[in-house]
Amino acid sequence: MKNIFPIIILFLLSSCQSSQNKNTDNQQKTTALNYTYANRFENLLNYPVNPNKIPRGIDKNFKKMKTSKSPTWTSGFFAGNLWLIYELTNDKRFKDRALEWTKIVEIEKYNDEHHDIGFKIYNSFGHAYKNIQNEEYSNVIITAAKTLTNRYDDNIKAIQSWNAKEGKWDYPVIIDNMMNLELLFEATRITQDSTFHHVAVNHANTTLKNHFRKDHSTYHVVDYNPDGSVKAKKTHQGYNDSSAWARGQAWAVYGYTMAYRYTKNEAYLAQAEQTARFYLSHENLPQDGIPYWDFDDPDIPQAPKDVSASTIMASGFYELYEFTDNKTYLDYANKVLETLKQPEYLLDKSVEAPFILNRSTGNYNKNSEIDCPIVYADYYFLEALTSKDEI
Ligand code: GLY
């Protein structure tokens, strides 16, 4: 999730005339958005608020909703989607509903059972705080950041993603974990307490050292020994240990671009660019820009696609473009947003479910959420739309 404070300052500094132009631009943008996605947005708004049924996805045939409770890693995205629609449209109904869903995940600020607290709290309360400068919300962010640091080990210099599992791993760190660092960086920005920043930087450095292959693709899981040495490099959600799981590549690019935003460490930017190049130049990346779930699945081109990887990557690329001025990233992000307007990917308006996009793949290896709508694909899609100049 990106920070809007610089946008607010720029806005205050701008002249009356340019603010009138901006208002006209925003109105045009909102009108275009309403035209393309309005009915899908209403489906999100109208979905009944229920702490035991937080929308996560629907099956491939659009018959069965998949919902979760707050401990699940995806629980903050639905609130985030409503916040993002509010940020895109300025329609207050979405803000009110976003707040209701946001409060449901507050309890997760104490949950240190896994690393996903960043996804849950920052993608919900982060928006609440951004839009309503309220100490109640910043306190949730700070408490959650403290909870996340419970999973940090200073010998290993990384946050443990999942708990140890006998015969499987001891101290697994997954590339997705880079995304949770935003919660820590923001906690330091709010409190000026550098402890959170320090943990985030150490985690990013350890991941930089151990997670990337020579071709700059990323492993999914690195398992550590207590002294910080690497025990194993493997996959959990990819095709095999040496394959390039598409969403993992997107977490890496977005994660290191975001980490660069807070640190200005050139090594982070270089890693984001190298992994971006791996992804963009891969022979198995389809022309329409939407990757298969894993670049190494031998079933390609029959393998399922993963829209979520493309939306995470597109949102990350809008920011990477800002830092590098390399138009390749802008072009890819714009292409993805264009592609996703096509009926193949945009959920048909007859489907009454609180989602926008189709054709994501959650966990292929567990035969779970394959080629269907998934809440986090929508989140990064909406976030990418907030970065795009024209819709
Ligand atoms: N963090 C889990 C996933 O990307 O599926």
Side-chain angles (χ1 to χ4, degrees), residues 9 47 50 55 120 126 146 170 178 226 228 244 262 280 356 358 365:
I9 292 164
Y47 192 77
N50 182 337
K120 292 187 275 187
K146 282 191 189 134
D170 294 330
M178 283 301 298
Y262 288 99
L280 289 174
I356 301 167
N358 195 3
N365 296 336

Side-chain angles (χ1 to χ4, degrees), residues 142 145-150 152 154 159 181 183-203:
I142 297 159
K146 282 191 189 134
T147 302
L148 182 56
T149 60
N150 293 345
Y152 174 75
D154 204 37
I159 295 162
L181 304 186
L183 175 73
L184 300 177
F185 285 126
E186 275 299 304
T188 287
R189 200 184 58 75
I190 295 166
T191 59
Q192 303 303 311
D193 176 350
S194 61
T195 316
F196 306 111
H197 185 97
H198 178 75
V199 167
V201 164
N202 280 353
H203 181 95

Side-chain angles (χ1 to χ4, degrees), residues 83-273:
W83 281 116
L84 285 162
I85 296 173
Y86 169 63
E87 290 166 23
L88 283 162
T89 62
N90 220 12
D91 182 336
K92 197 173 160 301
R93 294 176 305 152
F94 288 93
K95 177 183 171 188
D96 295 343
R97 192 48 58 90
L99 265 175
E100 289 181 70
W101 285 103
T102 294
K103 287 181 180 153
I104 288 171
V105 295
E106 178 169 352
I107 187 70
E108 295 306 309
K109 68 187 175 187
Y110 299 122
N111 185 349
D112 65 2
E113 277 303 302
H114 49 69
H115 70 137
D116 291 314
I117 190 164
F119 282 118
K120 292 187 275 187
I121 295 294
Y122 197 62
N123 294 343
S124 53
F125 277 92
H127 287 283
Y129 184 54
K130 206 166 78 166
N131 286 290
I132 309 164
Q133 294 282 295
N134 181 333
E135 208 176 317
E136 187 190 330
Y137 305 142
S138 59
N139 284 340
V140 175
I141 293 169
I142 297 159
T143 303
K146 282 191 189 134
T147 302
L148 182 56
T149 60
N150 293 345
R151 298 188 68 84
Y152 174 75
D153 182 315
D154 204 37
N155 283 328
I156 296 170
K157 300 223 178 308
I159 295 162
Q160 184 178 17
S161 298
W162 300 319
N163 294 341
K165 208 170 192 180
E166 216 181 308
K168 197 157 187 191
W169 45 52
D170 294 330
Y171 197 98
V173 176
I174 64 174
I175 190 64
D176 327 24
N177 204 337
M178 283 301 298
M179 302 296 286
N180 292 312
L181 304 186
E182 193 165 6
L183 175 73
L184 300 177
F185 285 126
E186 275 299 304
T188 287
R189 200 184 58 75
I190 295 166
T191 59
Q192 303 303 311
D193 176 350
S194 61
T195 316
F196 306 111
H197 185 97
H198 178 75
V199 167
V201 164
N202 280 353
H203 181 95
N205 290 343
T206 302
T207 302
L208 193 66
K209 191 164 81 187
N210 297 323
H211 254 82
F212 292 92
R213 306 183 178 108
K214 280 205 174 71
D215 63 5
H216 306 294
S217 66
T218 173
Y219 287 96
H220 185 204
V221 188
V222 175
D223 191 17
Y224 289 92
N225 294 306
D227 65 359
S229 58
V230 172
K231 188 172 171 221
K233 298 186 179 191
K234 43 177 128 188
T235 198
H236 180 59
Q237 279 160 267
Y239 177 73
N240 64 27
D241 291 347
S242 56
S243 74
W245 175 50
R247 196 159 61 252
Q249 312 315 304
W251 292 141
V253 170
Y254 188 122
Y256 277 98
T257 306
M258 174 271 294
Y260 175 77
R261 185 199 320 148
Y262 288 99
T263 60
K264 296 292 173 257
N265 181 338
E266 292 295 331
Y268 297 169
L269 190 62
Q271 187 59 64
E273 289 217 86

Side-chain angles (χ1 to χ4, degrees), residues 275-346:
T275 304
R277 264 196 295 279
F278 167 85
Y279 179 97
L280 289 174
S281 63
H282 202 291
E283 60 179 3
N284 285 343
L285 181 67
Q287 276 298 317
D288 70 1
I290 314 302
Y292 298 97
W293 73 283
D294 191 299
F295 282 94
D296 296 296
D297 184 342
D299 281 348
I300 289 174
Q302 266 74 49
K305 289 198 162 183
D306 182 13
V307 159
S308 77
S310 75
T311 61
I312 297 160
M313 197 62 104
S315 188
F317 273 6
Y318 278 122
E319 186 164 39
L320 193 54
Y321 168 66
E322 278 176 36
F323 293 140
T324 59
D325 238 2
N326 183 340
K327 217 170 150 292
T328 314
Y329 308 132
L330 182 67
D331 290 345
Y332 173 81
N334 286 340
K335 175 158 87 175
V336 165
L337 295 193
E338 275 311 302
T339 299
L340 294 178
K341 285 180 186 164
Q342 306 308 314
E344 182 185 350
Y345 297 108
L346 192 61

